[in-house]
Amino acid sequence: MTGTAAALATPHPEPRAVAMARFLAANGWSEDAAIPLAADASFRRYFRLSENGHGAVLMDAPPQYERPDAYVAVADVLRGFGLSAPEIYAADVADGFLLIEDFGDDTYTRLLTRGVDEAALYMLAVDTLIALQRAVAVAGVPDVAPYDEERLLTEVSLLTDWYAPAVLGTPLPDPVREAYLASWRSALVLAAPSQPTLVLRDYHVDNLMQLPDRDGVRACGLLDFQDALVGSPAYDLVSLLEDARRDVPAGMRSAMTERYLAAFPEIDRRAFRRSAAILAAQRNAKIIGLFVRLWQRDGKAGYLAHLPRVWRLFEADLASEPALAPIADWLDRHVPSGMRCSPMIEAA
């Protein structure tokens, strides 16, 4: 039995399973057609549907935690730009269920593990990002929330609020936390975008797929974009090239950055690189705290294995940009190098 079918077979099936079966039945599917797919870091669950020669994916996105309406809206925007976001076959956003197009199993992560040409995959990803940003420049930014200072600061505070207490054994005093945020405020001003674009926010190998039956940038399938915001053009590029889950060779990072910049000759390269360094640091600070939260709050300890890589990336970002020096100094005082990663990994 599938997870859904097993739940329904119990004397008192869970309400979520009942709602899922009701949604499937309303759209011509039986619960026996649903095969669970791998979970991710969110509260979403996915099931592959296959019945009578037809296929789809069921997204279970509880609306108290997730934003199925945003997924539908952003998917429509991306497809309108000529990019490959999944088609939405049916939606019940109130209950948090979507039937979407099945792109198969060829995520970049799986393809890279199988030895597929790394450079070709990254070139396609960069070209897709270029196409997205060019489309936004023509059509205008979509009606989504801004990736503003308040949101960026909330994200970097994950490091002070989750990571630091985990390794220090006690919460940071309020003045210490505020000094950290003040340093970030000074840096983030320098990363404010002059030409905002649509930022998908988790643009990395787990959320990109190869669709060999499509041409050009449509061969890049896009996943996990429901949290898209309007922000800096640099953000998704650093998300791709400073990947928390895999080591991207330095030469590849340099080549792909040049490929991106060559597509936008009007860009002030110095300002772009400064913005990219600041936003890369911001993203890595967020991820360090987020992975601890996933462990402590959600019981997902597997992400802790990536922390050494994320710390290396974060430290390199801090060293690369003078505007980030106050943040590096703060870390040296309050989270010194000996408290970066190992105590928590041992605890996990």
Side-chain angles (χ1 to χ4, degrees), residues 90-334:
D92 181 345
V93 296
D95 274 347
F97 295 110
L98 303 178
L99 280 179
I100 65 176
E101 184 179 3
D102 187 353
F103 279 166
D105 296 311
D106 285 341
T107 64
Y108 271 31
T109 299
R110 292 193 177 103
L111 293 169
L112 290 163
T113 300
R114 298 207 303 261
V116 172
D117 187 341
E118 181 182 42
L121 291 177
Y122 275 91
M123 284 191 287
L124 176 59
V126 170
D127 290 349
T128 302
L129 186 58
I130 291 167
L132 168 60
Q133 295 183 1
R134 283 176 170 166
V136 172
V138 172
V141 293
D143 184 19
V144 299
Y147 210 169
D148 56 18
E149 181 185 272
E150 180 181 0
R151 196 178 297 261
L152 292 164
L153 289 174
T154 296
E155 292 178 348
V156 297
S157 69
L158 291 170
L159 187 148
T160 52
D161 298 350
W162 288 91
Y163 183 90
V167 295
L168 300 175
T170 185
L172 290 169
D174 287 343
V176 172
R177 182 180 184 274
E178 181 52 39
Y180 170 80
L181 294 178
S183 296
W184 275 109
R185 287 188 189 95
S186 298
L188 289 170
V189 168
L190 302 175
S194 58
Q195 293 184 309
T197 190
L198 184 65
V199 178
L200 302 186
R201 297 180 70 196
D202 282 312
Y203 195 76
H204 55 70
V205 294
D206 282 356
N207 293 330
L208 300 174
M209 304 195 72
Q210 187 176 56
L211 307 176
D213 59 335
R214 303 188 187 188
D215 296 328
V217 295
R218 294 187 69 252
C220 185
L222 303 173
L223 307 175
D224 198 9
F225 42 71
Q226 64 282 334
D227 294 323
L229 297 170
V230 171
S232 170
Y235 190 92
D236 282 342
L237 184 66
V238 299
S239 175
L240 176 69
L241 300 180
E242 293 204 11
D243 197 325
R245 296 160 181 80
R246 73 181 302 267
D247 294 317
V248 181
M252 182 70 66
R253 288 163 59 183
S254 177
M256 293 302 106
T257 300
E258 285 300 317
R259 186 179 185 89
Y260 174 89
L261 290 171
F264 300 103
E266 70 280 7
I267 283 182
D268 180 332
R269 289 190 168 216
R270 185 171 180 276
F272 181 88
R273 291 183 183 278
R274 180 176 64 185
S275 178
I278 293 170
L279 292 172
Q282 185 275 343
R283 179 174 172 80
N284 287 320
K286 174 186 75 170
I287 291 172
I288 287 166
L290 177 62
F291 283 177
V292 175
R293 188 176 72 180
L294 286 168
W295 162 47
Q296 292 191 328
R297 188 190 71 182
D298 304 332
K300 298 178 179 180
Y303 292 92
L304 298 178
H306 302 302
L307 281 173
R309 175 183 300 109
V310 183
W311 268 112
R312 288 195 303 272
L313 292 169
F314 187 28
E315 290 168 347
D317 295 330
L318 295 174
S320 73
E321 172 51 50
L324 297 170
I327 299 164
D329 292 341
W330 184 95
L331 285 167
D332 288 341
R333 290 195 304 274
H334 301 291

